[in-house]
Amino acid sequence: MAEFSIIDQFCRDIGPKHSSTKLDIGDDAAVIRPDHGSELAISVDTMVSGVHFFEDVLPERLAHKILAVNLSDMAAMGASPKWATLALTLPKADPEWLSAFSSGLKKTAKRFGLQLIGGDTTQGPLSLSLTIIGTLPLFKALVRSGAKIGDEVYVTNTLGDAALGLALLSGKFELSPLNRAHAIDALETPEPRNEFGQSLLDIATGCLDISDGLIGDIAHICEQSSVSIEIDLDCLPLSSAYEEYIELNKLDPKSVSTLNYALNGGDDYELAFTASPEDAAKVLNRADECELSVTKVGQVIERESHKVYLCSNGARLNIESSDTKSFEHFS
Amino acid sequence: MAEFSIIDQFCRDIGPKHSSTKLDIGDDAAVIRPDHGSELAISVDTMVSGVHFFEDVLPERLAHKILAVNLSDMAAMGASPKWATLALTLPKADPEWLSAFSSGLKKTAKRFGLQLIGGDTTQGPLSLSLTIIGTLPLFKALVRSGAKIGDEVYVTNTLGDAALGLALLSGKFELSPLNRAHAIDALETPEPRNEFGQSLLDIATGCLDISDGLIGDIAHICEQSSVSIEIDLDCLPLSSAYEEYIELNKLDPKSVSTLNYALNGGDDYELAFTASPEDAAKVLNRADECELSVTKVGQVIERESHKVYLCSNGARLNIESSDTKSFEHFS
């Protein structure tokens, strides 16, 4: 099957046709005309078979996930997702696989208002790379560099579920069917927090998604905001799947190693953000409006080191957060 | 080596810092603020080891080429290249390779005014995917759909050199050292035609780059402009390397099979475009100003089929252009 035909058959009509899109798939480039008075947020994320997903993952789920991981970057900036280009590398052109993949793209793109305006298909080991573009009001982007001493630190939803899902698929342990499904869904079909991210535009002082693990990502806020952050282990929001994992394996629920998936697990597309204590009620209201739970897990403190510290039972633990293992490629 | 550190060390400070770039590498997304009254052209191209390049290609050359193939899409739209995101998948993080690759990126990005504002590195089989964004004055994009009956068809520079280079590297035949170097350079370090493409904004009625081969790409102008195009085999501009290939192999210089590299060879990042005969002098003047040769190779004709026809010695050849083999992935 020819490249032109793959793009024509499976990459057209993905997501809404924005009126600001002047030319989409079919020329040397797409053409967009952004509104005056807006900024654009641009991000790229790649997923490689055997590194970021199992080769036999359902194509609908893979399609959702490549969109979700990029949508999550828009959520972390508070941007409204608008356009995307997809580079799809495939070992072979299997129409059945492509058709399921395409319908997965359509469903998620439609739900989040994202239009696919460019595509490139090549032959090679299965991998996907998506560049996403979103719009932002001027000067409002949620960046990593604005956290202030005294701010509170929040995370959305629960932590570590995707890492639990990966451990389950790798056969490390078992959970009851419902909890197993919950954790695998967290891994394969994460829900990006776009509506909530946008609602934080006037509230959050620092924000990012924690796709590389809570501690490793929070450390970026510390570096870029020149602050330190203390995370309270007693406050980490855990799912019932995580609770079952602790019980079944008879783990100490307070120990750092038990909490490792929550602290350092990758692929959690939740937001971590900082906000002034004065805005605490607003934070909870906005979360309510988005039918999302948020949990205060720590605070921004003054320390010259610009690091993440852990505490429990009101006392700082004598453990460097960098001793816990963050999720890194090439590590 | 950690992903964050690869991006930090090797993907920062690539290309000029545009004043319209509000945030570059280091957050969940880059932020740009395009000028009012401009449109953006956006395109993506991927290169996979073993498919688009030999694994042992010099990293500086690979860096140039991933930029060049994308810059060429901007040239084909008449857009000024401004920003890019790079997804880099590497089997291992080799600092020496990365350093050479990074310096190749810097050199070419600087020359074309392109700023790298986003990167993602992952572990896996070597491949590169770049999304490029350029700016365009409103309503001026060079598209494939504007060719008019009676227009003349031009190409820049010479045809088929990259395909010759690939044949040389594959050991199919030999050429004298200078011609060999010319053809391999055409394959590995193609020169995108950005200055000339931008100078065509008020002249060309249809335009594209012929990276998939002259005939296959010209066919897209035919389909999208609802016209047919006749290409004159006697007018194809050939390099001295191509002439030597014909002589050494004692080929009939007029036969379609001899001209196959020129007609259907991939990886020629030249522009093909249509323009009114009234603008013929302008076309040549603009090319002169860019120190580039352009050649009239055909004309837009009225035929219901919307196909490419070949002629020689003033007579149409009794051969369907589709009988000649175009460059396609998954073919």
Side-chain angles (χ1 to χ4, degrees), chain B residues 9-25:
Chain B
Q9 260 187 274
F10 301 108
C11 297
R12 277 190 188 275
D13 301 322
I14 310 283
K17 288 185 190 301
H18 297 305
S19 61
S20 44
T21 308
K22 300 305 165 188
L23 201 60
D24 58 20
I25 289 172

Side-chain angles (χ1 to χ4, degrees), chain B residues 11-318:
Chain B
C11 297
R12 277 190 188 275
D13 301 322
I14 310 283
K17 288 185 190 301
H18 297 305
S19 61
S20 44
T21 308
K22 300 305 165 188
L23 201 60
D24 58 20
I25 289 172
D27 214 298
D28 291 274
V31 175
I32 62 170
R33 192 177 306 152
D35 290 342
H36 183 46
S38 66
E39 294 177 340
L40 299 180
I42 302 165
S43 180
V44 58
D45 259 317
T46 301
M47 290 169 45
V48 177
S49 179
V51 180
H52 300 88
F53 58 90
F54 292 101
E55 208 177 342
D56 61 353
V57 67
L58 291 175
E60 294 90 340
R61 294 196 145 210
L62 186 61
H64 171 81
K65 188 156 175 179
I66 188 65
L67 293 178
V69 304
N70 281 280
L71 285 164
S72 183
D73 285 320
M74 293 296 102
M77 302 301 286
S80 308
K82 283 283 186 316
W83 302 282
T85 62
L86 175 65
L88 184 58
T89 303
L90 296 168
K92 63 182 195 307
D94 169 355
E96 199 177 330
W97 190 97
L98 279 162
S99 172
F101 180 78
S102 176
S103 86
L105 285 181
K106 274 185 185 158
K107 202 169 146 192
T108 302
K110 184 179 174 191
R111 191 150 68 85
F112 288 89
L114 184 70
Q115 183 185 12
L116 191 68
I117 56 170
D120 186 28
T121 58
T122 52
Q123 188 167 15
L126 181 58
S127 83
L128 311 95
S129 182
L130 192 124
T131 292
I132 191 165
I133 304 178
T135 54
L136 271 167
L138 291 177
F139 308 108
K140 295 287 187 192
L142 300 179
V143 295
R144 299 175 174 185
S145 56
K148 303 274 179 298
I149 289 158
D151 280 355
E152 296 177 324
V153 180
Y154 297 87
V155 296
T156 56
N157 201 35
T158 55
L159 298 170
D161 293 322
L164 272 186
L166 181 60
L168 284 163
L169 288 179
S170 307
K172 290 198 180 164
F173 47 79
E174 258 314 328
L175 293 180
S176 60
L178 268 182
N179 282 333
R180 177 185 165 88
H182 167 83
I184 292 172
D185 285 353
L187 176 71
E188 294 189 347
T189 58
E191 181 71 9
R193 306 303 178 188
N194 292 77
E195 188 188 356
F196 185 61
Q198 289 172 58
S199 83
L200 291 176
L201 278 178
D202 283 310
I203 303 176
T205 55
C207 185
L208 40 60
D209 79 355
I210 52 169
S211 53
D212 290 342
L214 178 69
I215 300 298
D217 277 320
I218 287 273
H220 296 316
I221 291 187
C222 292
E223 290 147 21
Q224 295 189 32
S225 297
S226 301
V227 296
S228 287
I229 283 177
E230 196 171 57
I231 297 290
D232 188 343
L233 295 188
D234 307 329
C235 297
L236 301 182
L238 303 181
S239 64
S240 60
Y242 210 120
E243 304 284 6
E244 189 190 3
Y245 154 73
I246 294 175
E247 280 163 35
L248 282 182
N249 295 284
K250 300 191 171 56
L251 303 174
D252 171 5
K254 295 276 186 182
S255 88
V256 171
S257 71
T258 299
L259 297 169
N260 190 45
Y261 291 134
L263 291 170
N264 295 308
D267 259 0
D268 271 342
Y269 293 89
E270 301 299 338
L271 300 181
F273 60 99
T274 54
S276 160
E278 288 171 18
D279 285 329
K282 266 195 205 168
V283 166
L284 298 178
N285 280 342
R286 300 286 163 91
D288 264 0
E289 284 164 17
C290 297
E291 296 176 10
L292 184 65
S293 71
V294 298
T295 307
K296 187 189 153 192
V297 295
Q299 54 186 349
V300 181
I301 57 173
E302 188 161 12
R303 282 274 297 237
E304 278 185 9
S305 57
H306 305 160
K307 278 188 182 166
V308 184
Y309 295 89
L310 304 178
C311 69
S312 181
N313 291 322
R316 184 166 298 157
L317 297 188
N318 193 14

Side-chain angles (χ1 to χ4, degrees), chain A residues 42-64:
Chain A
I42 302 165
S43 181
V44 58
D45 258 318
T46 302
M47 289 169 46
V48 177
S49 177
V51 180
H52 301 88
F53 58 90
F54 291 102
E55 208 177 343
D56 61 353
V57 66
L58 291 175
E60 294 88 341
R61 294 196 146 211
L62 186 60
H64 171 82

Side-chain angles (χ1 to χ4, degrees), chain A residues 143-158:
Chain A
V143 295
R144 299 175 173 184
S145 56
K148 303 271 179 299
I149 289 158
D151 281 353
E152 296 177 323
V153 181
Y154 297 87
V155 296
T156 57
N157 201 37
T158 55

